[in-house]
Amino acid sequence: MFNIIRLSLLVILISILSCQISRSQVDEQAARIAARGMIAMNKADYELAARTFDSAMKIDPAPILYPYEKALAYYQMQQFDAAAFILDSLTALDAASDQIWQLLGNCYDYMKMKKNALDTYKEGLKKFPNSGRLYKELGVSTFREDWPRDALGYWETGVQAQPAYPDNYYYLAKYYENTGEKIWGLFYSEVFLNKTPNQVKADEISQVLYNTYNKALFNFIDSVRTISFTRVKVNVDLESKNKYIPFQTAYQLIMESLPEAQFSLLETKASIAQVSDIRIAFIKKWYSEGFDKKFPNIILEYQKAMDEDNVLEAYNYWILKNGAPEEFEAWKENHLKDLARLGKWLEINPLPISPEAYFSRQFYE
């Protein structure tokens, strides 16, 4: 009896091990095929990618990655109905991520099924309440429908829900560039430039940041130049330190007090060099006036740290470079060591964004 039991256990053990080996082989075979699909995706050969991921799914239907990538390939081919069919089936799975809801909503958006798109993003947020990407998509969709206030609210909420997700800052930076509250565009632009891996969008926001400074520094009313980073007006000056001064007003007052921010009647635009000088002078005066105590701000703290380590000028040129690329390239020729030093500094000291510490306009309003 003992020998029979031992023999039975051995057979079961061998069966389990055989299944594990077989399972491993299946996983490995499917993964190798899927890897070829990824290569096809990177080469924009989406038809081949879709077929390849389909082959991986037939061998190993378990991973959610393969059908998602197949749907993404269909999406890139603008076969939105085929992509949506796959993605809709994936939303019921426990392994579904917010990216599945995002891509499904995008499919509906391109199919002109606006209500379905909005409902999909909102349903996704029920499962992923801290998804910055879903708030971003809600903002984009509602902005296209001429609901800018709703869009603004979604992007701002996205920043609060997932501060490390960069794309909400991108849309906020672009939005505020052309409003009377350009001050917020400056900060949102800077966060985005420090956090995005998307070089194309980074180049765009670099130009947006440069333009935002110039629009604020050269604001003309009845042919009279004024400095205008905000429409918030409070009848105080820098000596009124015991009075309540909103953050926007404090920022405006410092800017108005800087000799570097004053221009001749013949000037209508500031160079990168001039904007850099203004930013350096601003951070010194902001701290000397004690506004850092009244208004904690991680971006200004970051600039202060760079100023103390003598890399702020190089940083200013780096974040503004696409505003005046020829000027940047001319400066770069003589400052390669400064840029290299900045690169090392940024690698050691990335902008600290976390759920506990981030920038939002709503902190100051």
Side-chain angles (χ1 to χ4, degrees):
M1 181 69 175
F2 177 73
N3 289 335
I4 293 174
I5 294 173
R6 284 190 55 138
L7 181 60
S8 299
L9 289 173
L10 181 60
V11 170
I12 293 170
L13 180 59
I14 290 171
S15 298
I16 292 172
L17 288 174
S18 297
C19 288
Q20 288 178 339
I21 291 169
S22 177
R23 176 74 243 173
S24 176
Q25 289 172 341
V26 167
D27 290 348
E28 187 176 335
Q29 184 182 2
R32 282 199 301 267
I33 293 172
R36 294 201 294 271
M38 291 294 188
I39 293 171
M41 288 286 283
N42 290 335
K43 292 181 177 179
D45 191 345
Y46 301 122
E47 289 187 9
L48 176 59
R51 292 198 303 271
T52 306
F53 287 118
D54 192 53
S55 297
M57 289 163 56
K58 289 175 181 176
I59 295 171
D60 185 4
I64 197 171
L65 174 65
Y66 304 157
Y68 172 79
E69 291 293 337
K70 181 182 176 182
L72 183 58
Y74 280 133
Y75 178 85
Q76 296 290 4
M77 290 187 287
Q78 299 186 16
Q79 296 180 24
F80 302 118
D81 53 347
F85 180 81
I86 296 171
L87 294 164
D88 186 54
S89 68
L90 299 181
T91 58
L93 302 180
D94 291 337
S97 69
D98 58 345
Q99 288 176 286
I100 288 172
W101 297 89
Q102 178 189 27
L103 192 60
L104 178 58
N106 290 354
C107 288
Y108 288 136
D109 211 355
Y110 279 111
M111 292 161 67
K112 308 299 182 185
M113 300 169 68
K114 180 64 66 178
K115 184 177 185 305
N116 294 64
L118 295 175
D119 288 346
T120 297
Y121 301 137
K122 290 175 182 178
E123 282 297 315
L125 280 169
K126 290 179 182 178
K127 190 171 183 179
F128 304 98
N130 295 323
S131 173
R133 69 180 70 248
L134 291 177
Y135 279 113
K136 181 261 289 188
E137 297 296 353
L138 276 170
V140 172
S141 289
T142 52
F143 193 81
R144 287 178 187 153
E145 294 296 306
D146 294 325
W147 303 333
R149 189 172 295 277
D150 289 344
L152 189 62
Y154 286 129
W155 293 327
E156 294 276 13
T157 304
V159 165
Q160 296 173 51
Q162 192 177 1
Y165 180 73
D167 281 7
N168 286 298
Y169 300 103
Y170 168 83
Y171 287 101
L172 288 165
K174 292 182 67 174
Y175 175 85
Y176 280 111
E177 176 193 0
N178 296 306
T179 71
E181 297 303 310
K182 294 178 176 59
I183 179 173
W184 308 127
L186 302 180
F187 289 105
Y188 286 129
S189 292
E190 199 158 334
V191 176
F192 181 77
L193 288 168
N194 276 276
K195 290 301 177 183
T196 184
N198 188 321
Q199 190 56 52
V200 173
K201 284 186 175 180
D203 290 345
E204 180 186 1
I205 295 302
S206 172
Q207 186 171 21
V208 166
L209 178 60
Y210 176 76
N211 291 342
T212 303
Y213 269 109
N214 270 289
K215 289 176 181 180
L217 291 167
F218 295 90
N219 182 62
F220 289 93
I221 300 176
D222 296 330
S223 299
V224 178
R225 173 186 167 268
T226 62
I227 295 174
S228 182
F229 287 88
T230 178
R231 287 177 179 164
V232 176
K233 302 297 181 185
V234 179
N235 190 24
V236 294
D237 54 33
L238 284 176
E239 301 305 316
S240 308
K241 294 182 181 178
N242 293 327
K243 293 183 180 179
Y244 171 74
I245 301 177
F247 174 79
Q248 304 96 301
T249 302
Y251 189 98
Q252 175 80 15
L253 288 173
I254 295 290
M255 278 293 182
E256 290 175 344
S257 72
L258 299 176
E260 292 83 356
Q262 310 307 316
F263 294 87
S264 72
L265 295 175
L266 298 177
E267 292 178 285
T268 58
K269 191 175 185 180
S271 64
I272 293 179
Q274 289 171 314
V275 175
S276 178
D277 288 344
I278 290 168
R279 282 167 56 88
I280 292 170
F282 176 91
I283 204 68
K284 293 181 187 299
K285 190 152 190 177
W286 181 263
Y287 275 79
S288 69
E289 293 290 340
F291 285 120
D292 60 300
K293 306 282 194 306
K294 294 182 179 180
F295 306 108
N297 183 298
I298 64 164
I299 307 301
L300 297 180
E301 290 170 11
Y302 199 50
Q303 293 175 15
K304 179 68 159 55
M306 281 186 276
D307 186 41
E308 291 173 347
D309 288 342
N310 296 313
V311 294
L312 184 54
E313 180 185 16
Y315 172 78
N316 291 339
Y317 270 86
W318 172 64
I319 64 174
L320 295 162
K321 62 183 178 180
N322 277 74
E326 291 182 2
E327 181 188 352
F328 173 76
E329 290 300 325
W331 176 88
K332 178 182 173 181
E333 286 184 12
N334 298 315
H335 295 84
L336 291 176
K337 289 184 179 179
D338 293 328
L339 283 173
R341 186 164 175 264
L342 171 66
K344 291 179 181 178
W345 193 95
L346 292 173
E347 186 176 351
I348 298 170
N349 304 281
L351 178 65
I353 296 288
S354 69
E356 294 74 38
Y358 61 95
F359 176 84
S360 171
R361 169 186 66 90
Q362 297 187 4
F363 293 156
Y364 307 103
E365 292 192 337

